[in-house]
Amino acid sequence: MEMIDPRRVVVLFGESLAAAESCYSLIDAGFDVEVVCRRGVPSGLRRSRLLRCHDVEHPESEHAACVADVQRIVTETEAIAILPLDDVSLWLLDRNRDLFDIPLAMASREAVAVALDKRKQVEIAIDSGFDVPTTAMAADVSALSAWSVFPCILKGALAAPAI
């Protein structure tokens, strides 16, 4: 009879900037790490002998299939928690919280909404008294023609695509 590892964690996505440091910190703390990677996307973690990588469909184009893949990995590995590492994984897990019966190592719905929306971040920063650079919100590209403060930085309002 195989023993269930009480310290197995699923981490997604393995190609995120925080993946290597997060995974090896978990390993150093005694956890077994199962890494979820988008199918066909390079990740240095794929070469590691200290963890296992699992391919999933791309959440940006195959949302339902990706969720099903993550659920399967969690079940097969008997993981005790899931850790999202980037905006898309945070978005994916937040919108599917009810489908997982293990802890998701992430913030509340309200905090995730702020983390993924630059408009909310700017509003909160201004309301909190921070010295926010001149900021304008544009609903579409045509609204940018009126902008006259340069240099400027253009950023999408949503950190993860509205899939």
Side-chain angles (χ1 to χ4, degrees):
M1 173 187 246
E2 184 181 347
M3 295 285 293
I4 295 174
D5 184 349
R7 296 178 55 97
R8 184 167 291 140
V9 177
V10 169
V11 173
L12 60 148
F13 287 103
E15 57 274 9
S16 71
L17 291 175
E21 182 177 359
S22 299
C23 290
Y24 292 120
S25 292
L26 286 166
I27 290 168
D28 285 347
F31 288 91
D32 275 353
V33 178
E34 306 285 338
V35 180
V36 173
C37 296
R38 290 173 182 87
R39 185 166 280 112
V41 176
S43 169
L45 294 177
R46 293 181 185 277
R47 296 182 178 179
S48 176
R49 292 185 181 141
L50 301 176
L51 48 78
R52 289 191 316 170
C53 289
H54 305 267
D55 286 333
V56 298
E57 294 300 326
H58 292 243
E60 301 87 348
S61 59
E62 300 291 335
H63 173 258
C66 181
V67 172
D69 287 343
V70 174
Q71 287 178 300
R72 175 185 48 76
I73 292 163
V74 166
T75 300
E76 287 176 359
T77 63
E78 300 176 321
I80 61 162
I82 306 173
L83 174 63
L85 297 178
D86 62 9
D87 292 335
V88 175
S89 62
L90 190 63
W91 174 89
L92 181 79
L93 291 176
D94 184 58
R95 277 144 186 80
N96 295 284
R97 286 176 189 256
D98 299 339
L99 299 179
F100 296 96
D101 59 357
I102 62 173
L104 304 177
M106 56 193 271
S108 68
R109 286 189 190 276
E110 296 79 17
V112 169
V114 171
L116 296 178
D117 191 333
K118 298 288 183 264
R119 297 166 297 193
K120 292 179 183 183
Q121 294 170 20
V122 168
E123 180 183 321
I124 290 170
I126 291 169
D127 291 347
S128 299
F130 284 92
D131 186 16
V132 176
T134 302
T135 303
M137 307 293 174
D140 57 45
V141 174
S142 64
L144 297 175
S145 63
W147 188 250
S148 61
V149 179
F150 295 96
C152 67
I153 298 172
L154 299 176
K155 293 194 80 155
L158 301 176
I163 303 170

